[in-house]
Amino acid sequence: MNKTRVVIVAVYLLDVDECAKEDDVTSCHDDAECVNTLGSYLCECKAGYMGDGTDCLAISAWTPWSPWSQCTETCGHPANTRVRVCTHPESGMRCDGPSVEQGTCVGLPPCPVDGGWTVWSPWAPCTALCGGTKQRARTCDNPAPAHGGRYCQGDVYQREQCQPGPACAVDGGWTPWATWSACSVTCSVGRRLRTRSCTNPTPRYGGRYCAGGDAQQEKCGEHNPECYAVDAVWGEWSEWSECSHTCGLGSRFRRRLCRRHLGPTCSGENTEQQPCMVEACPAEVENFGQHMGHQHRWQEGTQARRHP
């Protein structure tokens, strides 16, 4: 029987670190790492970079969030912010998500709230059918004062006079008659007058005006004792009237009354008239000047003839 001998030969291959050869790794990018393989090597971009190892570009990524901004208010819940930056814009990549984040300040006391008025309520009914007043109100709760805030300025209630309606109509009333006026003549038959007005009270709110007239007249003078002397006697002359013209020659007059009973009338005239002039009219002054000029020239001519 033949025996077969198996001989196992171990072959050991020696792997050389290709990345240790400086000349061979120059093809890797500065941002790449050399990875040794069996008999060769690979260039792999470092973390945060992308490419084939010979050309690596930085990958855009967010920086860490900044600290929260300081709160500028001292009460309430004001907002604060923090930011971050998307790095390596030269990659052409865009970072997902916001670059600014808004938060709320905490731990601050509540702010004071000043009160505000609500709108006025509808007017309440008038306090009386005729006249009276009406009222409306509002409240200081829009918003209500809180945390030391001020109360609303102004009045809670507002009042107005009600407009008069038909029930408020006031009819007019006459005042008492005034005293009679002086008679229009001293002797003979004249007239005198008295009046009244519809103001006691005055008609208001559609009330009726007073019925009747506001004036009365009656005869007077015929029973004046001074007009019934036994014998006819002239009374005193009146004052002279004003001149009938304001310039130039005019006239003025005065009168007197004859007091008689049943006897004959007074003898003589009851009217006197006399000429008067307040001042010369401008035209008269000019004519007078021209007249004096003519007279002066006439006198000069006469003297010239008498004294050649």
Side-chain angles (χ1 to χ4, degrees):
M1 181 176 183
N2 295 329
K3 294 182 180 181
T4 304
R5 181 180 292 179
V6 177
V7 179
I8 300 175
V9 179
V11 178
Y12 296 93
L13 299 176
L14 181 61
D15 186 19
V16 178
D17 187 0
E18 301 294 336
C19 293
K21 298 179 180 181
E22 295 183 359
D23 295 339
D24 293 336
V25 300
T26 55
S27 60
C28 290
H29 194 269
D30 292 339
D31 294 320
E33 293 179 346
C34 180
V35 179
N36 187 48
T37 62
L38 187 60
S40 185
Y41 67 93
L42 293 175
C43 292
E44 292 183 355
C45 293
K46 296 177 182 179
Y49 294 84
M50 64 179 183
D52 59 2
T54 59
D55 186 13
C56 297
L57 292 175
I59 299 173
S60 295
W62 288 115
T63 62
W65 286 105
S66 68
W68 288 103
S69 62
Q70 290 186 348
C71 295
T72 57
E73 303 295 334
T74 59
C75 64
H77 302 284
N80 59 356
T81 58
R82 63 178 182 175
V83 297
R84 59 181 178 176
V85 178
C86 184
T87 61
H88 303 295
E90 70 276 4
S91 69
M93 301 175 64
R94 298 179 63 181
C95 301
D96 292 333
S99 62
V100 179
E101 190 174 54
Q102 185 169 331
T104 303
C105 297
V106 294
L108 298 177
C111 293
V113 177
D114 294 336
W117 289 115
T118 60
V119 296
W120 286 104
S121 68
W123 286 105
C126 290
T127 57
L129 293 177
C130 181
T133 58
K134 58 183 180 180
Q135 177 179 283
R136 63 180 181 177
R138 58 183 177 177
T139 56
C140 185
D141 57 4
N142 186 34
H147 311 303
R150 293 173 296 182
Y151 194 79
C152 304
Q153 299 294 315
D155 298 325
V156 176
Y157 298 100
Q158 189 178 51
R159 294 177 178 84
E160 281 189 3
Q161 198 74 23
C162 294
Q163 294 295 325
C168 301
V170 177
D171 295 335
W174 289 114
T175 60
W177 287 105
T179 57
W180 288 103
S181 65
C183 193
S184 60
V185 296
T186 303
C187 296
S188 186
V189 179
R191 295 286 178 183
R192 65 178 182 174
L193 179 73
R194 67 177 182 177
T195 59
R196 60 181 178 177
S197 63
C198 187
T199 57
N200 187 35
T202 302
R204 291 181 296 171
Y205 316 130
R208 292 172 297 182
Y209 195 78
C210 304
D214 60 355
Q216 281 184 342
Q217 61 179 355
E218 66 178 10
K219 294 188 297 182
C220 60
E222 69 270 28
H223 302 300
N224 188 348
E226 295 183 2
C227 300
Y228 291 95
V230 175
D231 298 326
V233 178
W234 285 114
E236 296 294 329
W237 286 103
S238 66
E239 297 292 333
W240 286 103
S241 67
E242 294 184 358
C243 196
S244 59
H245 294 79
T246 57
C247 70
L249 187 62
S251 59
R252 63 178 184 174
F253 65 90
R254 65 178 181 176
R255 292 176 179 172
R256 60 181 177 174
L257 295 176
C258 179
R259 300 174 182 175
R260 65 189 182 89
H261 180 44
L262 299 175
T265 185
C266 302
S267 60
E269 300 295 332
N270 67 340
T271 302
E272 278 189 350
Q273 183 175 345
Q274 65 177 205
C276 61
M277 185 173 68
V278 177
E279 62 180 1
C281 294
E284 294 178 351
V285 173
E286 182 179 355
N287 293 337
F288 177 76
Q290 293 177 354
H291 173 73
M292 293 300 294
H294 292 322
Q295 183 177 7
H296 178 69
R297 287 193 295 271
W298 178 80
Q299 291 177 348
E300 288 181 348
T302 304
Q303 293 175 358
R305 287 194 296 271
R306 289 180 179 180
H307 304 282

